[in-house]
Amino acid sequence: MIPNRTDPLPTDVLTRAASYARAWRGGTHPISPSASAAALRNRFCLPLTDKGIPGAEVIDALIAAAEPGLVGNTDPNFYAWVMGGSNLVGVAADWLTSAWGQNAAIYQASPAAAIAEEAVEAWLLELLDLPRESSVGFVGGATMAAFVGLAAARGEVLRRFGHDVEAEGLQGAPKVHIFLSDDAHVTNYAALRQLGFGEANFHKLSSDSAGLMRPADLANAMARSGGPKIVLAQAGHINSGGFEPLAEIAALARSHGAWMHVDGAFGLWARASAVRKGLTVGAELADSWSVDGHKWIQLPYESGFAIVRHRDAHRRAMQKTAGYLNCDEEDGRNPSSLTPGLSRRAQGFAAWAVLRSLGRRGVATLVDRHCAAAAHLADRVRRNDGLTVVNRVDLNQVVIGCRDRRNEHWKISALADRLNAERRLFVRPAQWKGRSVLRLSVISQNAGFENVEALADRIEEIWPTIEMRRPDTPACEDLLAQPAMGAVNS
Ligand SMILES: Cc1ncc(COP(=O)(O)O)c(C=O)c1O
């Protein structure tokens, strides 16, 4: 006889978590953490118990430990990095995903998870208007999406030169030339290194003031290099939000038999907006794309999409077969045939739920609202004597610098500190192209006109008090309060 479950289920933990989450998402909180690392360690780094602790008590303790160390990504006044705020429909679907305990490794491990991914794959290709024959791997973010796209690229360009990397590895392979901006997102370089490439493979093309490569430089560099080639282009630069001339780059890539990958972690979503799609012309000509779900469309974190036009190359790069996995695809896809790992949370459910709930118009509205708000913010910032907007604001990014370059570092740091002081706004200074800048990303799901108006008002109040200080004599508190300049990678 098959035994029934006899132990009582501790479902009170779910009720507790749900009622807390409801109150937390409905309330207002400080936007930046109040606890120091030491204070957080005191709460988290406890001795492991022998006996364990009742679940409800643990959930209460987790809430108490984590809350003072949380950052307000879900707050519409969060501008610090290009991050999303976890749409609640996605959160609810994510809870179900966990409660169902599904493993999206293979079709048979969760037919529902596999078919949900099929549905999302078709919707994504339609929304982003990318070749419908492409396949989509569900990964943890744009870094891993780049890894997957570039793994497929590596296999394919080497195959064209008679080398089977899946069989022979990189030993003895012809040298692969990889062309990209010297200011491409750092995670692309990381993914390339993880794939066995290094400085000797990179042609780092010197970028323009928006961080973008120039097609003429690409043409020259490609003409000088023989052998397998990969071009990595940017759709939405991490700082400027700029787009490389993708159609021109695609034409060059094609004429050299190169594989073109587009990093569109957030910028590719511009294709969902009729107003902004023009920025991305030519993206559809690429061979692979990386895009995040946890940025503009606000999926819960660990959601990225690796989109590859050439299904066979995609599968070859990610292949894993074993008798016990029974991996034929008669009924539906095996999700892990498109991803680096095997076992995985069934991310397709949350993506399915959020895209169903937003619809085409909902996605376009998010993009358009954020871009319009960013343009308005830039206009307001330009009205302040002594402040400049460093980038062309076509998308959601507003990069602010000082006219007084000699004192830019301390002035921008002081402005950031003052804006953050009441913990109702969250901004971060950054270093970019030898400048100290305030880099504002308008992307949090509820951010809109009213939020950027309030931010611009605060800048107008604060800036004159900083600007009026005698140059070259930073106030002590500015020096002391200078935070480490933010790493510009998100
Ligand atoms: C342009 C760009 N590429 C890649 C990434 C890496 O994405 P993820 O953090 O999801 O891995 C980011 C993250 O901000 C990005 O903005």
Side-chain angles (χ1 to χ4, degrees), residues 82 140-144 185 187-188 236-238 263 265-266 292 294-295 489-490:
V82 185
T143 308
M144 283 321 283
H185 198 274
T187 54
N188 294 304
H237 181 271
I238 183 63
D263 172 10
F266 59 107
D292 260 325
H294 54 223
K295 290 189 167 61
N489 63 4
S490 211

Side-chain angles (χ1 to χ4, degrees), residues 56-77:
E57 225 178 279
V58 173
I59 293 301
D60 287 348
L62 173 62
I63 291 168
E67 216 187 86
L70 298 179
V71 167
N73 295 41
T74 59
D75 191 302
N77 302 300

Side-chain angles (χ1 to χ4, degrees), residues 376-396:
H376 180 68
L377 177 59
D379 286 343
R380 290 277 318 264
V381 168
R382 286 190 199 98
R383 287 194 220 156
N384 295 272
D385 279 346
L387 283 181
T388 61
V389 174
V390 171
N391 63 323
R392 208 179 114 153
V393 183
D394 287 329
L395 207 66
N396 66 317

Side-chain angles (χ1 to χ4, degrees), residues 173-461:
K175 178 172 174 176
V176 179
H177 295 270
I178 301 166
F179 305 86
L180 70 175
S181 159
D182 61 2
D183 201 17
H185 198 274
V186 61
T187 54
N188 294 304
Y189 283 103
L192 285 163
R193 284 196 192 93
Q194 289 156 17
L195 286 164
F197 298 122
E199 293 299 316
N201 300 96
F202 303 152
H203 296 257
K204 294 182 179 173
L205 304 173
S206 71
S207 49
D208 67 12
S209 60
L212 309 174
M213 71 162 100
R214 299 174 183 88
D217 293 347
L218 176 63
N220 286 336
M222 291 184 96
R224 286 197 305 270
S225 320
K229 299 185 181 77
I230 297 171
V231 180
L232 193 144
Q234 305 178 82
H237 181 271
I238 183 63
N239 292 329
S240 68
F243 292 76
E244 284 170 350
L246 299 170
E248 263 180 88
I249 292 173
L252 281 167
R254 185 162 303 166
S255 71
H256 285 270
W259 179 292
M260 174 174 169
H261 178 86
V262 174
D263 172 10
F266 59 107
L268 211 57
W269 290 106
R271 291 177 72 77
S273 148
V275 186
R276 303 237 148 37
K277 190 172 176 186
L279 294 167
T280 72
V281 170
E284 67 284 358
L285 302 172
D287 298 289
S288 56
W289 303 262
S290 30
V291 63
D292 260 325
H294 54 223
K295 290 189 167 61
W296 228 323
I297 62 165
Q298 322 283 332
L299 281 172
Y301 279 92
E302 287 214 75
S303 173
F305 305 111
I307 309 177
V308 182
R309 178 196 290 269
H310 313 282
R311 284 181 170 249
D312 290 346
H314 190 170
R315 281 186 159 69
R316 258 199 308 274
M318 297 293 121
Q319 67 181 297
K320 38 190 103 55
T321 45
Y324 85 97
L325 288 174
N326 247 341
C327 270
D328 64 59
E329 301 206 349
E330 258 165 44
D331 298 311
R333 75 206 244 131
N334 287 312
S336 62
S337 63
L338 304 169
T339 59
L342 179 62
S343 295
R344 178 167 59 74
R345 137 185 223 83
Q347 290 144 293
F349 292 135
W352 185 88
V354 167
L355 288 173
R356 277 292 272 173
S357 120
L358 289 174
R360 268 191 221 99
R361 205 172 307 152
V363 176
T365 302
L366 272 174
V367 172
D368 288 336
R369 172 158 45 82
H370 290 146
C371 293
H376 180 68
L377 177 59
D379 286 343
R380 290 277 318 264
V381 168
R382 286 190 199 98
R383 287 194 220 156
N384 295 272
D385 279 346
L387 283 181
T388 61
V389 174
V390 171
N391 63 323
R392 208 179 114 153
V393 183
D394 287 329
L395 207 66
N396 66 317
Q397 297 292 104
V398 182
V399 183
I400 302 174
C402 278
R403 289 195 188 286
D404 171 11
R405 294 284 293 274
R406 250 166 81 77
N407 290 290
E408 188 169 56
H409 180 71
W410 75 260
K411 285 185 177 180
I412 288 292
S413 300
L415 177 61
D417 288 347
R418 294 277 303 280
L419 288 169
N420 289 335
E422 288 158 22
R423 298 173 61 215
R424 290 300 315 131
L425 292 162
F426 194 2
V427 302
R428 293 288 293 164
Q431 302 256 288
W432 187 40
K433 295 208 169 277
R435 297 190 69 158
S436 294
V437 293
L438 190 60
R439 176 177 159 278
L440 304 169
S441 305
V442 186
I443 198 160
S444 182
Q445 61 189 328
N446 295 317
F449 187 80
E450 281 174 19
N451 303 96
V452 298
E453 274 284 282
L455 171 58
D457 288 347
R458 281 300 284 149
I459 291 174
E460 269 174 30
E461 278 165 34

